[in-house]
Amino acid sequence: MTIYRHTQGQGETVVVLHGWGLNHQVWQPIMAPLAESHQLIAIDLPGFGRSDWPTGKAISFANMVALVSAEIPAGAHLIGWSLGGLIASAIALQQPRNIASLTTIASSPKFQADEQWPGIDSKVLDNFHLQLQRSYDKTIERFLAIQAMGDEHARAQVKWLKPLVLEQPEPNLTVLDQALDWLADVDLRAQLPNISVPLLRYYGRLDSLVPNRAIAEIDKLVPKSAKHVDPQASHAPFISDPQQFIDRWLAFTNPTR
């Protein structure tokens, strides 16, 4: 098995985990600026981009968390976007002594909506399952478009990012399909209050996948965490305004700076 790691810069280590369907290239807007003060490690999740899923190993959320955990250097800051935030949260719950801080971007402990919880309609995830059977490229193009919905700044960035993301190797489609089930089924709400590392939650107010009502519910689970909601961003606030994200992240991780 090979896990691909893009590394640049020097200093304290920060590891970034991308979201569903994508790869390390999605971090391009913040890579160089973060690498000015930190060692940045952008991982392709197992089965995505240039990373393999180990042959014979069951494709499960627990195994994904274990595989990624093994790639996190001791004392690293961990940033996860969307599905990557769910994985990062699970790692921080399992290995609090190994993580300096946790930042989740446009992420939720439970992504799929139900009668008591706001989130992604199950029909949206079902449609992605169907689209994957027809065309990976078109499915990812649609998914990228959702990231920027209602966010004019993100639209231009996503247009620029799309060829960078799609020029990477196509992900393992079985892993990609199973990961949609994780977005539907994984529920970390009961465990979330047990996160003991410094936690920053970063959101976009226009996000339809992690709506404002979900943010309010997560507030109740981790009331002592830091939070920022970008009023003009959608599901990818670090893409629509990368400098604002970097400034707020640096202030969170080094408040005396």
Side-chain angles (χ1 to χ4, degrees):
M1 184 193 74
T2 302
I3 298 291
Y4 178 78
R5 298 155 58 110
H6 169 89
T7 303
Q8 68 185 88
Q10 295 182 333
E12 288 185 272
T13 301
V14 53
V15 178
V16 291
L17 306 179
H18 62 79
W20 181 83
L22 305 177
N23 52 61
H24 73 280
Q25 289 282 34
V26 79
W27 297 107
Q28 280 285 354
I30 65 170
M31 277 183 180
L34 267 185
E36 291 177 6
S37 56
H38 290 72
Q39 181 189 59
L40 174 74
I41 300 176
I43 292 176
D44 278 349
L45 296 174
F48 294 82
R50 301 185 193 182
S51 292
D52 303 324
W53 186 271
T55 302
K57 197 172 190 71
I59 300 171
S60 68
F61 183 74
N63 283 339
M64 171 66 83
V65 171
L67 291 166
V68 176
S69 293
E71 301 296 317
I72 310 296
H77 299 278
L78 190 54
I79 300 175
W81 171 53
S82 197
L83 173 63
L86 192 66
I87 295 166
S89 296
I91 292 171
L93 284 162
Q94 293 179 10
Q95 299 186 24
R97 294 182 181 179
N98 201 42
I99 305 299
S101 73
L102 170 64
T103 299
T104 61
I105 306 172
S107 194
S108 175
K110 182 184 187 302
F111 275 92
Q112 183 164 288
D114 61 28
E115 292 181 359
Q116 286 79 39
W117 187 261
I120 305 173
D121 191 299
S122 61
K123 293 179 182 177
V124 172
L125 296 175
D126 290 343
N127 283 337
F128 276 120
H129 277 296
L130 291 173
Q131 289 166 11
L132 268 181
Q133 297 173 20
R134 300 169 186 153
S135 169
Y136 161 72
D137 284 6
K138 289 185 178 179
T139 302
I140 295 306
E141 285 179 15
R142 180 166 180 243
F143 184 65
L144 283 168
I146 290 175
Q147 316 311 304
M149 197 174 293
D151 182 346
E152 62 181 74
H153 299 291
R155 276 199 291 271
Q157 286 277 41
V158 164
K159 184 177 180 180
W160 168 73
L161 272 171
K162 184 168 69 174
L164 294 177
V165 169
L166 291 177
E167 75 182 9
Q168 298 298 306
E170 189 173 293
N172 180 317
L173 294 184
T174 304
V175 175
L176 199 58
D177 195 60
Q178 284 293 109
L180 287 171
D181 289 336
W182 303 341
L183 291 172
D185 300 333
V186 173
D187 186 352
L188 297 182
R189 286 177 296 175
Q191 296 101 301
L192 205 66
N194 296 325
I195 287 181
S196 57
V197 302
L199 169 61
L200 169 64
R201 299 178 292 121
Y202 206 93
Y203 304 101
R205 186 182 63 83
L206 306 177
D207 192 351
S208 62
L209 303 181
V210 183
N212 292 316
R213 290 189 300 121
I215 299 171
E217 293 300 320
I218 301 168
D219 288 343
K220 300 173 187 176
L221 299 175
V222 280
K224 294 182 180 180
S225 60
K227 179 186 74 171
H228 176 70
V229 181
D230 186 327
Q232 297 181 313
S234 184
H235 192 62
F238 71 99
I239 292 176
S240 54
D241 195 339
Q243 192 57 54
Q244 177 181 230
F245 171 76
I246 290 165
D247 290 344
R248 288 186 177 273
W249 185 83
L250 289 172
F252 162 68
T253 54
N254 190 0
T256 61
R257 190 172 184 265

